[in-house]
Amino acid sequence: MVTFEEIGIEKKILDAITDLGFENPLPIQEKVIPILLENNDDLIGLAQTGTGKTAAFGLPALQKIDAKSKATQVLILSPTRELCLQIAADMKDYAKYMREINIVAVYGGADIDRQIRALKRGAHIIVATPGRMNDLLNKRKKINLDSLKTVILDEADEMLNMGFKEELDAILDETPKEKQTLLFSATMPSDVLRISKNYMTEPREITVGSKNAGAENVEHFCYSVHERDRYLALKRIVDYNPDIYGIVFCRTRMETKDIAEKLIQDGYNADSLHGDLSQTQREYAMHKFRIKNLQILVATDVAARGLDVKDLTHVINYNLPDEASSYTHRSGRTGRAGKTGVSIVIVNLKEKYKIKRIEHILQKKFSFKEIPGGSEICEKQLLNYVDKMQKIEINHTEIDQFLPDVYEKLEWLSREELIKHFVSLEFNRFLEYYRDAKEITSPLDRNRTNDRNRTNGRRDDRRNDRKSDFGQRTGPRSAEEGYTRFFINLGHKDDLSPRDLIGLINRSTRKRNIRIGKIKLFKTFSFFEVENDFKDLILNSFTNIDYNERKVVVQITKNEEQPFKTGKGNRKPYNKSQSNRSFKRDRYKKY
Ligand code: AMP
């Protein structure tokens, strides 16, 4: 195995990357670094995120800096603020023992004057998003690129997808003729080719993995549905995967908001990530998702770019991206770090042709699936539940004292009866929920009716005769009258008992007379209800509280914030049984 030293990396950088735990170069680094150190040829690197490309272009760029000059010598352009910050942080890590080198990140959504002051102090390397860079370079004239040696376009396909074509042209037009241009991209759509033709000279091409290939360990599933069933299909897919931890990709901000709101109202542990949120709101949603307080994140492509989560089980394309090549980016977010993943696409009949194009780009086939039926979902949920029950850790110190009474009460039940009771307690509601739900069927595709995995039209019709879907029948989970329901990110796993929770509320609010209603503890989070008069006190008190060295997050549950309104502005009364409401509450147990 070659070493970084053998491919020409100098001591100061070697020491820094050793500190980071880099032992040997990754394939892209082994291929790219020697070329970049040896000459100034232009280069196209076809590589996905996560392959080590930042060091592949970053280490040689750093090594070639002339620290005696203060001029800007390297410009790295990247599509999003998050990526920009990540690259700048990586570069600073690599330059840990090169104190004389200044690296400055400039990106939108942040104070421009501060960035201008940082640039004035000198920036050997600028890492920038195209919009802010163009502003600083061409409009405000705060950057001089006369001494630029290298320009690096990272995730070029994404930058163009995000509509930065004009900005890129305007920036590249301002760079000196004599320079090295490096372009990194996961895919090679026509717009990227155009950039390479216009701005690069006989570039070398380096590919890591096969060109435009999706991650090896990702399976691709396609569900074909009637347009009207798209959302119901999503719910069933999620229900069929009880331990899902995934991103649902939508095409627009509106759609993202809409789907997330529906999922939340239907009791799923979901939230949204899109450009209409403030930076703080976006960071908060990403944080909750990263620490797995959220099971499903509904996101636009752009907003999800900054999210670096390695162990997603699923990526769901609620709608396909406009550019077929963007599918590679979306699906590449699962199946990382040696794990397997599933990328799911929901299409209507008119969109099916797009699958062929994606298959061509991926060089992989999709499996066409039927939307799972109600009983399949119940079975899957039930077995998952039983599985979890088997694996649960038993806290003898806490429960042993209660067991004699419990045994006595259950004495009259045989083992079989006991299991039936236990299963029914949890699942009667679930079964009831799905029993009346209308099944969702694939639209009959006349061209492919012989496909074994596809839906048989006659059976579909029979399934369609069934009653309406449960999702349209139920309202949100609500607190008792006069009480507000709160979510808290602590649960059994944090050794939290109801008594501890009450103590925590009293301590945090510095009051003893708070009227606390129902408390429901789960593994990693809980709900508690507090009389409405104390609502603001709770919100104001839990702003900076730690519990067992964990930052405590308390929020009013979403359904409380967005009650269903009737014409008169009142909360819509529940017209269904308590059992339906309880089911929705239990959905939270899944995480
Ligand atoms: P990137 O594609 O640049 O975002 O890198 C993906 C991840 O791989 C980052 O967490 C890097 O810190 C890590 N990485 C990059 N190069 C190496 C290396 N040679 N050895 C170990 N980890 C690396």
Side-chain angles (χ1 to χ4, degrees), residues 4 21-26 29 48-55 86:
F4 278 108
F22 295 9
E23 286 173 1
N24 297 94
L26 295 174
Q29 296 159 356
Q48 308 259 347
T49 348
T51 47
K53 62 185 160 67
T54 316
Q86 196 181 316

Side-chain angles (χ1 to χ4, degrees), residues 210-391:
S210 57
K211 203 187 272 188
N212 292 340
E216 286 305 310
N217 35 359
V218 179
E219 283 188 279
H220 302 266
F221 294 169
C222 177
Y223 291 91
S224 157
V225 295
H226 292 284
E227 186 54 40
R228 62 171 185 269
D229 288 336
R230 199 182 283 272
Y231 175 67
L232 300 178
L234 171 68
K235 286 206 308 184
R236 282 183 182 237
I237 292 166
V238 171
D239 284 345
Y240 192 64
N241 293 285
D243 287 324
I244 189 170
Y245 172 51
I247 302 181
V248 174
F249 279 104
C250 292
R251 228 176 359 210
T252 63
R253 292 171 188 194
M254 275 305 291
E255 188 177 72
T256 305
K257 274 191 233 174
D258 180 45
I259 299 305
E261 269 167 28
K262 279 183 175 159
L263 285 173
I264 293 163
Q265 288 196 344
D266 284 338
Y268 292 82
N269 184 11
D271 209 341
S272 61
L273 188 66
H274 53 78
D276 282 351
L277 301 175
S278 69
Q279 184 62 25
T280 319
Q281 286 171 317
R282 263 183 290 168
E283 270 163 19
Y284 185 56
M286 289 197 263
H287 173 69
K288 278 198 296 179
F289 190 59
R290 264 190 220 109
I291 62 170
K292 299 192 177 173
N293 261 356
L294 263 190
Q295 194 172 5
I296 299 163
L297 191 65
V298 188
T300 56
D301 292 271
V302 176
R305 292 302 300 156
L307 186 67
D308 184 24
V309 178
K310 292 201 170 57
D311 47 357
L312 293 183
T313 60
H314 290 76
V315 162
I316 301 181
N317 294 262
Y318 185 74
N319 261 307
L320 279 173
D322 292 331
E323 275 275 341
S325 58
S326 301
Y327 178 83
T328 319
H329 280 283
R330 289 184 177 183
S331 61
R333 295 188 147 265
T334 183
R336 286 194 184 172
K339 297 205 172 129
T340 52
V342 177
S343 175
I344 288 173
V345 173
I346 306 174
V347 288
N348 65 28
L349 204 53
K350 279 194 233 143
E351 296 167 326
K352 250 184 175 171
Y353 73 96
K354 294 185 182 170
I355 295 294
K356 278 230 173 312
R357 216 188 290 160
I358 295 173
E359 284 180 335
H360 183 70
I361 291 175
L362 289 174
Q363 296 290 304
K364 259 184 164 185
K365 288 277 173 211
F366 274 78
S367 304
F368 287 85
K369 301 271 182 192
E370 262 188 68
I371 296 292
S375 66
E376 282 169 90
I377 292 171
C378 288
E379 185 183 348
K380 192 86 181 281
Q381 289 274 356
L382 180 58
L383 293 181
N384 186 272
Y385 178 65
V386 171
D387 209 38
K388 279 196 180 136
M389 191 268 297
Q390 284 188 74
K391 290 180 189 150

Side-chain angles (χ1 to χ4, degrees), residues 516-557:
I516 300 171
K518 281 189 193 153
I519 291 179
K520 187 111 181 119
L521 298 186
F522 296 90
K523 196 166 165 191
T524 53
F525 58 89
S526 307
F527 294 109
F528 62 90
E529 293 177 8
V530 165
E531 226 179 52
N532 289 345
D533 289 350
F534 299 96
K535 185 170 99 178
D536 292 337
L537 178 67
I538 295 283
L539 285 177
N540 295 333
S541 306
F542 276 93
T543 47
N544 202 8
I545 302 285
D546 287 344
Y547 186 81
N548 285 351
E549 295 179 12
R550 212 170 139 202
K551 181 130 199 66
V552 178
V553 178
V554 167
Q555 293 175 326
I556 295 179
T557 57

